[in-house]
């Protein structure tokens, strides 16, 4: 059973991550590979998915097979963003890195 603190930390982390990503998009102002009115760096989807995976992996004692399934599953929508040319590999990688670092800091230091 999960505690209220665990759930609130995840939920508030997601909200603050969205704010951080929005700030970084305005800071970097990197266009997407396809014509769009929005910026692509960092990828919000990659940041969000990697953040959730990082949070779950670091806060739970998951079996190795579960971790592999979790990581493999999150790669599918990230790959689809690249395949549909909504993001470059750089934008997806930086988004994933932002999610990873934010999740790690949230779990380990906050």
């Amino acid at each position: 059973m999960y505690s209220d603190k665990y759930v609130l930390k995840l939920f508030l982390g997601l909200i603050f991550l969205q704010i951080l990503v929005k700030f970084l998009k305005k800071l970097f102002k990197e266009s997407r590979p396809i014509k769009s009115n929005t910026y692509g760096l960092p990828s919000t989807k990659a940041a969000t998915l990697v953040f959730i995976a990082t949070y779950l992996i670091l806060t739970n004692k998951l079996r190795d097979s579960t971790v592999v399934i979790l990581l493999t599953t999150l790669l599918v929508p990230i790959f689809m963003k690249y395949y549909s040319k909504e993001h470059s590999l750089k934008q997806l990688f930086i988004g994933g890195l932002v999610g990873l670092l934010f999740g790690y800091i949230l779990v380990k230091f906050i």
Side-chain angles (χ1 to χ4, degrees), residues 7-24 44 47-49 51-52 55 98 102-103 106:
V7 173
L8 288 173
K9 200 172 186 181
L10 175 63
F11 185 72
L12 291 173
L14 284 166
I15 291 171
F16 284 110
L17 177 65
Q18 301 306 306
I19 294 167
L20 173 63
V21 168
K22 182 80 86 177
F23 170 77
L24 292 173
T44 304
T48 302
L49 290 172
F51 166 76
I52 292 169
Y55 187 85
V98 168
F102 190 78
L106 183 70

Side-chain angles (χ1 to χ4, degrees), residues 43-103:
S43 165
T44 304
K45 181 164 284 194
T48 302
L49 290 172
V50 173
F51 166 76
I52 292 169
T54 301
Y55 187 85
L56 292 174
I57 290 167
L58 294 177
T59 56
N60 295 281
K61 292 180 172 133
L62 302 176
R63 288 182 281 173
D64 290 344
S65 60
T66 303
V67 172
V68 169
I69 292 168
L70 184 64
L71 295 177
T72 304
T73 304
L74 80 82
L75 289 176
V76 172
I78 291 174
F79 173 75
M80 293 307 296
K81 287 290 189 175
Y82 174 72
Y83 181 76
S84 64
K85 299 194 184 341
E86 290 182 50
H87 287 291
S88 67
L89 286 176
K90 174 181 145 189
Q91 293 167 347
L92 293 166
F93 178 78
I94 298 295
L97 188 60
V98 168
L100 177 73
L101 292 173
F102 190 78

